[in-house]
Amino acid sequence: MNDLKKKHGWLYWFLFAVAVIVVYKTLDNFTAISIWFSRLFEVILPFLSGALIAYILYIPCRYIEAAFRRNKKTSKYARPLSILSVYLITVLFIIFLINIIFPTISKSIVDLASNLPGYYARAKAYIDIQPEDSFWKNESITEIINELEQIDITKIVNKDNITEYIGKVVGVARGIFSTFVAIIISIYILLERTDILKFIRRLNKAIFSTNTCKKMDRYFEETNMVFSKYISSQITDGIIVGIIMSIALSIMKVKYAILLGFMIGLFNVIPYFGAIFSIIIAAVITIFTGGFGKAIWMAIITTILQQIDANIINPKIVKDALKISRILIIFAVTVGGAYFGFLGMFLGVPIIAVIKTILNDFIENKNKVKKIEK
């Protein structure tokens, strides 16, 4: 018995020593490892993108598939027909955006970029004539102006330079190939999603206990429900807000109405902060293009419309997609934005909702165990 304990002790310390060596070598070759992971991420990125596309398109796909299954003539081919329908609708929607929406927005962006030097000069002239004790003459704003003066705005907004920079960074050929691969992968994932889920469940049963498998299935279903409801509802609400804002700003004859309207709709997918941030940006742009009076009216109208969306439209669309407090939502948006940017701010909310569900189950299970022990 003592020999067995000694062997276990030596084995423990041996594994501990191996772990220390592995950690040391990992940190010692951190640059090489980071390069390897970066390269691996580039290779699997089309597969991850394909999975994301499949997940987003799965939401409308399942409803269309259910409609095809109700018809005896199409029930046999319900899945491929639903996938074909979803991709056709997506392609038609992209064509509509390219031909109707994008040209207007693109023209507004180019026009805004070309007028930036003039807007900057006008703002600086206004600040220069203000008294020394004015808010605009404080140290923070002065530092911002000094930093902006060092930037060659005309060079940045030059159309040829923008094209050159985009071409260098993106790599057009690689981007087209990756997009093509991602689309093909998304189609196969949608076609074979039942078999994929069956394989994952079989693998879980082989590795984990029955009780653990049941918990994993439940968490998977709840996570899928939260993400699908949240993503679909927020995108739908963003599109509705973008259309409403564009129409309202066009009626008010605000310059770049379509661009500003859809910008507000895009930022609206981020709870709380998105609406405030987008209205501030729109108001600042409107100050330069239409004056203080129009900017104030624009801010008032858009704020009223945002409140209508927040209290009437959004609750109807979202319903019970998320059952978490506002404090947790603000926390999720803040942390997600700090570490992962716009995508983190968008996905931070459903992620925190899933974490909350898991923690609640953990707390309940622990409390049950304590009651039984008593």
Side-chain angles (χ1 to χ4, degrees):
M1 190 70 178
N2 290 330
D3 291 339
L4 187 62
K5 284 183 178 180
K6 284 180 180 179
K7 285 180 180 178
H8 283 165
W10 279 108
L11 181 63
Y12 170 80
W13 286 110
F14 174 75
L15 291 174
F16 178 76
V18 169
V20 169
I21 292 168
V22 169
V23 171
Y24 171 75
K25 295 301 289 182
T26 301
L27 295 174
D28 191 44
N29 297 283
F30 185 75
T31 304
I33 291 169
S34 63
I35 292 170
W36 185 85
F37 273 108
S38 177
R39 179 61 183 158
L40 177 65
F41 181 75
E42 287 181 11
V43 172
I44 65 172
L45 183 60
F47 295 88
L48 296 175
S49 302
L52 180 62
I53 293 168
Y55 185 77
I56 293 170
L57 294 183
Y58 163 73
I59 298 167
C61 195
R62 63 181 178 180
Y63 293 109
I64 297 173
E65 183 178 339
F68 278 123
R69 288 195 185 282
R70 285 193 289 270
N71 190 316
K72 290 183 179 180
K73 293 180 180 179
T74 58
S75 61
K76 189 177 178 182
Y77 305 100
R79 180 157 296 178
L81 285 172
S82 66
I83 294 169
L84 179 63
S85 301
V86 166
Y87 273 90
L88 281 174
I89 293 167
T90 304
V91 169
L92 290 172
F93 180 68
I94 291 170
I95 291 170
F96 168 77
L97 290 177
I98 291 171
N99 287 285
I100 307 297
I101 305 297
F102 284 169
T104 305
I105 293 176
S106 177
K107 186 180 177 182
S108 297
I109 291 171
V110 171
D111 186 58
L112 177 62
S114 62
N115 288 321
L116 273 178
Y119 296 147
Y120 172 76
R122 196 187 308 171
K124 190 165 186 312
Y126 173 80
I127 292 170
D128 288 341
I129 62 173
Q130 299 302 307
E132 289 298 323
D133 58 345
S134 170
F135 165 78
W136 301 104
K137 289 291 183 77
N138 70 56
E139 189 177 342
S140 299
I141 293 178
T142 305
E143 285 179 7
I144 293 170
I145 292 170
N146 291 334
E147 288 178 7
L148 289 172
E149 284 179 343
Q150 295 174 11
I151 300 172
D152 188 351
I153 297 175
T154 55
K155 187 178 179 180
I156 291 171
V157 300
N158 184 278
K159 194 174 180 180
D160 295 330
N161 287 336
I162 291 172
T163 307
E164 183 182 345
Y165 295 149
I166 292 173
K168 287 179 180 178
V169 174
V170 176
V172 177
R174 185 183 294 177
I176 292 171
F177 176 75
S178 297
T179 303
F180 177 75
V181 172
I183 291 169
I184 297 299
I185 289 167
S186 68
I187 292 171
Y188 279 112
I189 289 174
L190 287 171
L191 278 170
E192 300 176 11
R193 62 179 184 267
T194 305
D195 294 332
I196 292 169
L197 289 174
K198 281 181 180 178
F199 172 77
I200 293 170
R201 286 195 174 98
R202 283 175 56 209
L203 183 64
N204 286 342
K205 286 179 181 178
I207 298 171
F208 304 106
S209 65
T210 305
N211 189 38
T212 304
C213 286
K214 286 180 180 179
K215 284 184 179 180
M216 289 176 71
D217 283 343
R218 187 167 65 83
Y219 288 142
F220 177 80
E221 288 174 6
E222 288 185 10
T223 301
N224 180 52
M225 183 187 69
V226 168
F227 270 82
S228 60
K229 281 186 177 181
Y230 178 78
I231 291 172
S232 60
S233 61
Q234 288 298 102
I235 291 174
T236 303
D237 185 60
I239 292 170
I240 292 170
V241 169
I243 293 169
I244 292 171
M245 291 295 180
S246 298
I247 293 170
L249 296 178
S250 298
I251 292 170
M252 293 176 66
K253 297 189 182 334
V254 173
K255 197 171 182 180
Y256 312 126
I258 305 296
L259 173 63
L260 297 179
F262 276 90
M263 180 201 69
I264 294 171
L266 175 65
F267 278 95
N268 200 69
V269 301
I270 300 170
Y272 299 112
F273 296 105
I276 298 168
F277 186 66
S278 59
I279 290 175
I280 291 171
I281 294 174
V284 170
I285 293 172
T286 308
I287 287 172
F288 291 112
T289 58
F292 278 101
K294 183 165 281 189
I296 290 169
W297 276 111
M298 187 280 302
I300 292 170
I301 297 298
T302 51
T303 301
I304 291 170
L305 291 174
Q306 284 281 5
Q307 290 302 309
I308 292 171
D309 171 67
N311 294 286
I312 299 173
I313 300 172
N314 190 272
K316 293 286 184 183
I317 297 171
V318 177
K319 292 181 181 177
D320 59 346
L322 295 172
K323 296 178 180 178
I324 56 175
S325 69
R326 295 181 180 182
I327 295 172
L328 278 178
I329 291 174
I330 293 169
F331 175 79
V333 172
T334 305
V335 174
Y339 286 97
F340 302 102
F342 184 86
L343 186 63
M345 295 175 80
F346 178 55
L347 295 179
V349 178
I351 289 170
I352 204 77
V354 172
I355 292 171
K356 182 197 168 193
T357 302
I358 295 170
L359 282 175
N360 281 338
D361 282 358
F362 174 78
I363 292 166
E364 285 178 12
N365 290 332
K366 284 292 180 183
N367 287 335
K368 283 179 183 178
V369 170
K370 287 181 178 180
K371 284 181 181 178
I372 292 168
E373 288 175 352
K374 287 180 181 180

